[in-house]
Amino acid sequence: MKLIPLPAFQDNYLWLLHDGRRALVVDPGDASPVLAALDEGGLQLEAILVTHHHPDHVGGVDALRDATGARVFGPARERIPEPLQRLAEGDAIEVLGLRFEVLDVPGHTAGHIAYHCPDFEGAPLLFCGDTLFSGGCGRLFEGTAAQMHDSLGKLAALPGNTRVCCTHEYTLGNLKFATAVEPGNSRLIHYRQQCEQRRSRGEPTLPSTIALEREVNPFLRTRVPAVTQAAHAYNAADERDEVAVFAALRQWKNEFR
């Protein structure tokens, strides 16, 4: 199996997974790079997995379905181009011989879902859309801080070796903010240096892992004293209230330059 982040637009990744013959793609906002990769690899697209309804995640769905006959899977409670199989937490699908369990992760959008494969070549795999980014999380366009905090907690509870396939190359900007929140975090500083080197070579910073995100991502560290103190210093957030700390961090990140 090969896992490939196909660049699209300014900073999107369309995740393509294939076994040399059959493929699936996640959140194809643009059909062109997917069709090019299928043609180059002689691959048949069997499935399209959608996490949420934003155009940069669904814009290529119709063209890919029409061109390949691929099945489309997506969230039960969002506006996704029909026909598709609608999914919610507790559902599971099998594609390319892999089992994907569905998680409800509202916050960025109201019906956002994620796909968790418990065993992809010896380690779990997570397609989390715009809920969790390396070093960050999605903006709250439709959901609440409490919803997003709960969703991130659900993802953070996955096994540490879970590979995290986010859909944007936001890592350097996120880590700049994370360093402002927690400047004494040596693991964060080292990871930021690694990512800067990767980007200087034109390489993706992804996938990350859940274990790494627990160490460097301030939005998963709302119980850590250095993070709670920084949130309090920013807007007097109650350090004992994790949702208040999260909300302060998210607002701070929205305004951070």
Side-chain angles (χ1 to χ4, degrees):
M1 286 278 188
K2 290 189 177 181
L3 180 65
I4 303 167
L6 300 176
F9 309 119
Q10 183 175 350
D11 50 37
N12 283 66
Y13 287 133
L14 320 180
W15 289 94
L16 185 75
L17 193 158
H18 72 84
D19 63 5
R21 297 181 300 109
R22 305 168 300 156
L24 68 81
V25 69
V26 182
D27 285 348
D30 184 359
S32 298
V34 181
L35 290 170
L38 295 173
D39 183 64
E40 181 180 353
L43 304 170
Q44 174 63 42
L45 187 66
E46 291 205 347
I48 299 167
L49 310 186
V50 177
T51 64
H52 67 290
H53 67 82
H54 286 162
D56 61 323
H57 294 254
V58 301
V61 169
D62 285 339
L64 288 172
R65 184 199 294 110
D66 293 346
T68 67
R71 296 176 295 162
V72 182
F73 301 90
R77 293 178 289 276
E78 296 212 346
R79 302 178 302 278
I80 307 296
E82 297 280 357
L84 79 158
Q85 181 175 336
R86 295 188 173 273
L87 304 169
E89 184 156 331
D91 292 333
I93 59 173
E94 187 165 315
V95 183
L96 307 187
L98 299 171
R99 176 181 171 86
F100 288 93
E101 300 169 350
V102 178
L103 301 171
D104 287 335
V105 286
H108 181 66
T109 65
H112 200 303
I113 63 173
Y115 299 86
H116 173 244
C117 178
D119 184 9
F120 173 69
E121 299 192 328
L125 183 67
L126 175 69
F127 294 119
C128 53
D130 285 358
T131 297
L132 173 64
F133 297 126
S134 188
C137 72
R139 286 178 177 262
L140 305 181
F141 287 121
E142 298 173 11
T144 66
Q147 285 178 313
M148 182 63 103
H149 180 262
D150 182 68
S151 295
L152 292 173
K154 188 180 296 184
L155 299 183
L158 294 173
N161 62 341
T162 302
R163 285 161 285 189
V164 178
C165 299
C166 321
T167 45
H168 289 278
E169 182 58 78
Y170 288 165
T171 308
L172 292 187
N174 288 337
L175 296 182
K176 181 180 178 183
F177 171 71
T179 305
V181 175
E182 202 176 3
N185 184 333
S186 59
R187 183 67 181 94
L188 167 60
I189 293 167
H190 179 64
Y191 178 53
R192 183 177 175 182
Q193 292 170 343
Q194 289 179 317
C195 290
E196 288 170 348
Q197 292 170 2
R198 289 176 193 154
R199 295 307 291 155
S200 71
R201 298 191 296 265
E203 299 172 359
T205 60
L206 303 169
S208 178
T209 67
I210 289 294
L212 175 59
E213 294 307 313
R214 291 177 194 148
E215 293 183 311
V216 304
N217 191 324
F219 297 100
L220 303 188
R221 295 170 62 78
T222 52
R223 295 180 183 178
V224 174
V227 175
T228 64
Q229 290 162 16
H232 179 77
Y234 171 72
N235 77 348
D238 184 347
E239 296 179 39
R240 299 163 297 178
D241 184 339
E242 287 191 59
V243 173
V245 169
F246 172 84
L249 292 173
R250 185 60 262 180
Q251 184 60 38
W252 185 2
K253 177 64 167 65
N254 292 348
E255 300 169 353
F256 186 77
R257 297 292 181 269

